[in-house]
Amino acid sequence: MKKKKVFYVSVLSVLLCFPLLGFKYSNNGVTSSTSSSDIEVSSTSTMSLESSTVASTETTFSSSDVNDKSTINQTNDEETENQIKQEAPSAEKFYVSIIDKNYQLLEEPNGEVLQDNGENYQRTFAAQEIDDNGTKLYLLFSPEKQVGYIQPNSTEQITGQEGKLFSETDVYGSINSADVTLFNSNFQANGTTSALKDHTYKIDGFYNHFDGKQYYLLKDVTDKFVGIVESTAVEKTKDQAGQKHSVNDYYSVVKNNQKVWKNFDFEELGTSEMFVDQTFNVKEWYYHFNGTKYFVLYDNSANFKGIVEEGTIQRASSPGGIWRSANQYVTITKNNWTIWKDFNFKNGSSTNNLYQRTYRVTGWYRHINGTKYLSVYDNKGIWQGYLNEGGAQVVDTPGGQWYSTNQYVTVTKNNWTIWKDFNFKNGSSTKNMYQKTYRVTGWYRHYNGSKYLSELARLFK
């Protein structure tokens, strides 16, 4: 019986030792032996078993917690890296622009010189002061990465992310975009470039911003600050004339007292009086720094004719020039000329049926080919086409042109009216002229289609 009791105690000891051994291995990584004398078979043994189970569970959690902390540390490292990429410098950091053209950028303090081909000259970086065994260096950062180490005297410390303003001389720029943000002198948004589109300004200087973009500081002809704008919105030039805008348009000269220039040194060719009413091809235009828009004129053979201000000319929809209204009468004087339906000069008809007849002109065009074309209508308001002015004679009245003749006629109608003028308000009856013969010295083909004979300044039908 006593042996049987010893056997039960031995079995219980083994059962109690297993969880204890597991706990010590998990916690310390070593195995410890325990004698049977350390274990009492009692209610305390039961509590020890329960405690061992809890301890084992807690140890498992603790191991997981270590892994979580490792993950958290890795996440924090990534956040720190992202912070360098995306945020402005922290309190101990500041902004600098590299001002020494011969700067040297080091990979590490006392390390090798980075061969960047000077591409970082005048650029702006976030910086942190580093003490390398008594030597002061700046560690530079771009928004994306750590850049390298540099001597402080190769830089200039700046208060803002825009960096240092680097001055420009005799450089101009034309605004080529209408929807780019315009900044004030404090780099605060101040509207857009909409009102500045195509205008030319002096580029007084530029900033190479920490964000990697370049910005121009613009001034007008009076040296007044205009704004700061991203360089991509500006066409840079050394010429005060500004950006060349290539076009293929037609303009007619509408003013006769304006200057015509030979070049943008403003050498005079004359005045627009020599070109008034003529039409030209405009191949380019400029918005000058002086605030004036200029157009370059070419003739029908692409010969340069001069430079004029915008107000001197008016745009036409075709090579025909601009429409100029009129209210006059013409008599067709050329037989077998062409009267055109458009300025493509492919669709027209002969003047044979119009010859010596009188028509109304409602307006005209001065074509780039130099010809003046009349817009011709008959007495029923039917448009006949565009006629070269050389094919007609302008007349003072709807009566048309006088044609000389020498013939005799006998009056065959009794009580018709013989008119004193073409107002048709003053006339007399042919009653006293009936069946009498008269000499005719000339005739008219009136706008109304009738032919009127003249005898000694007396008109009759």
Side-chain angles (χ1 to χ4, degrees):
M1 186 71 179
K2 189 174 183 180
K3 288 181 180 180
K4 192 174 184 180
K5 184 177 181 180
V6 171
F7 172 77
Y8 287 149
V9 170
S10 298
V11 171
L12 183 59
S13 297
V14 171
L15 291 174
L16 290 174
C17 286
F18 276 143
L20 290 175
L21 289 172
F23 172 78
K24 290 186 177 181
Y25 177 82
S26 298
N27 202 30
N28 298 320
V30 294
T31 302
S32 177
S33 61
T34 306
S35 65
S36 58
S37 62
D38 292 330
I39 304 172
E40 296 181 4
V41 182
S42 65
S43 60
T44 305
S45 299
T46 305
M47 291 179 64
S48 298
L49 179 61
E50 292 174 353
S51 297
S52 297
T53 304
V54 172
S56 177
T57 303
E58 288 178 348
T59 304
T60 302
F61 175 78
S62 177
S63 175
S64 174
D65 189 44
V66 169
N67 290 334
D68 287 346
K69 286 182 178 179
S70 176
T71 303
I72 291 170
N73 288 337
Q74 182 178 357
T75 302
N76 288 339
D77 289 342
E78 290 175 355
E79 289 178 352
T80 301
E81 184 177 354
N82 289 334
Q83 191 174 23
I84 291 173
K85 290 182 179 179
Q86 299 176 6
E87 295 183 359
S90 57
E92 70 272 12
K93 295 176 185 172
F94 47 90
Y95 294 100
V96 297
S97 294
I98 297 179
I99 60 172
D100 181 6
K101 196 170 186 178
N102 299 313
Y103 72 91
Q104 287 189 334
L105 197 60
L106 305 178
E107 187 174 3
E108 297 291 343
N110 297 318
E112 293 184 1
V113 175
L114 292 172
Q115 302 301 320
D116 63 351
N117 298 316
E119 66 181 19
N120 290 309
Y121 175 57
Q122 296 181 328
R123 285 188 60 189
T124 302
F125 297 96
Q128 187 174 25
E129 186 175 316
I130 303 296
D131 189 342
D132 179 41
N133 296 323
T135 300
K136 186 169 71 172
L137 294 173
Y138 288 162
L139 174 58
L140 304 184
F141 301 87
S142 73
E144 296 83 19
K145 63 182 180 179
Q146 179 177 304
V147 177
Y149 297 83
I150 194 170
Q151 292 287 340
N153 59 8
S154 292
T155 69
E156 181 175 327
Q157 189 168 335
I158 307 299
T159 57
Q161 295 187 30
E162 69 273 11
K164 177 180 172 61
L165 175 64
F166 293 94
S167 298
E168 291 270 41
T169 304
D170 297 328
V171 179
Y172 305 88
S174 299
I175 307 297
N176 56 29
S177 179
D179 56 359
V180 173
T181 302
L182 188 68
F183 297 92
N184 62 19
S185 57
N186 295 321
F187 260 89
Q188 296 172 332
N190 188 30
T192 70
T193 54
S194 178
L196 309 183
K197 178 75 165 61
D198 296 329
H199 290 245
T200 302
Y201 299 98
K202 179 174 68 175
I203 299 177
D204 199 51
F206 63 89
Y207 300 90
N208 287 323
H209 199 283
F210 176 66
D211 63 12
K213 298 176 182 178
Q214 187 175 67
Y215 295 83
Y216 292 149
L217 188 152
L218 306 178
K219 289 188 177 181
D220 66 15
V221 70
T222 65
D223 208 38
K224 180 181 177 182
F225 173 82
V226 174
I228 298 170
V229 67
E230 190 177 337
S231 62
T232 54
V234 179
E235 181 75 20
K236 197 173 181 181
T237 176
K238 285 283 187 180
D239 197 332
Q240 291 191 19
Q243 180 182 2
K244 174 183 176 180
H245 297 267
S246 296
V247 292
N248 186 26
D249 297 326
Y250 297 93
Y251 285 81
S252 297
V253 177
V254 294
K255 290 187 179 180
N256 62 6
N257 58 351
Q258 304 298 303
K259 299 287 187 182
V260 178
W261 309 101
K262 183 178 180 180
N263 50 46
F264 283 114
D265 291 329
F266 296 107
E267 297 180 57
E268 291 187 27
L269 279 175
T271 70
S272 57
E273 185 175 2
M274 59 185 176
F275 295 145
V276 71
D277 293 336
Q278 294 185 39
T279 301
F280 296 92
N281 183 206
V282 170
K283 293 181 179 294
E284 68 261 8
W285 60 269
Y286 301 82
Y287 218 127
H288 199 279
F289 176 54
N290 64 19
T292 303
K293 194 174 182 179
Y294 293 91
F295 293 77
V296 184
L297 307 181
Y298 295 86
D299 66 15
N300 199 35
S301 300
N303 297 312
F304 170 80
K305 304 304 292 184
I307 301 170
V308 296
E309 293 183 12
E310 179 181 21
T312 307
I313 56 180
Q314 183 176 326
R315 186 174 180 178
S317 59
S318 76
I322 65 170
W323 166 261
R324 298 173 188 270
S325 61
N327 185 18
Q328 57 188 184
Y329 297 92
V330 296
T331 299
I332 308 301
T333 58
K334 298 293 184 181
N335 195 13
N336 207 29
W337 277 35
T338 302
I339 185 165
W340 302 101
K341 299 301 182 183
D342 54 51
F343 288 127
N344 293 322
F345 300 114
K346 294 179 180 179
N347 186 16
S349 58
S350 173
T351 59
N352 283 347
N353 295 329
L354 284 67
Y355 180 58
Q356 292 185 333
R357 294 179 178 274
T358 302
Y359 295 88
R360 183 166 176 256
V361 173
T362 60
W364 54 275
Y365 297 89
R366 177 75 71 179
H367 197 278
I368 193 173
N369 64 18
T371 302
K372 183 177 179 179
Y373 290 91
L374 311 176
S375 185
V376 177
Y377 289 81
D378 68 13
N379 65 325
K380 294 182 174 64
I382 299 173
W383 184 64
Q384 303 298 301
Y386 299 119
L387 179 65
N388 184 328
E389 68 172 342
Q393 176 65 48
V394 177
V395 292
D396 295 333
T397 71
Q401 183 177 350
W402 160 268
Y403 287 95
S404 177
T405 189
N406 186 18
Q407 62 187 78
Y408 295 90
V409 297
T410 298
V411 178
T412 59
K413 298 293 184 180
N414 191 13
N415 207 27
W416 276 36
T417 302
I418 182 168
W419 300 103
K420 302 297 184 183
D421 54 47
F422 285 127
N423 293 322
F424 299 115
K425 293 181 179 180
N426 185 14
S428 58
S429 174
T430 59
K431 184 177 182 179
N432 295 329
M433 303 171 66
Y434 181 59
Q435 293 185 339
K436 294 181 180 180
T437 301
Y438 293 87
R439 181 170 178 261
V440 175
T441 59
W443 59 272
Y444 299 86
R445 178 71 71 178
H446 196 279
Y447 173 59
N448 63 20
S450 297
K451 184 177 181 179
Y452 292 87
L453 308 177
S454 173
E455 183 271 325
L456 298 176
R458 294 173 64 188
L459 307 178
F460 53 98
K461 182 175 180 181

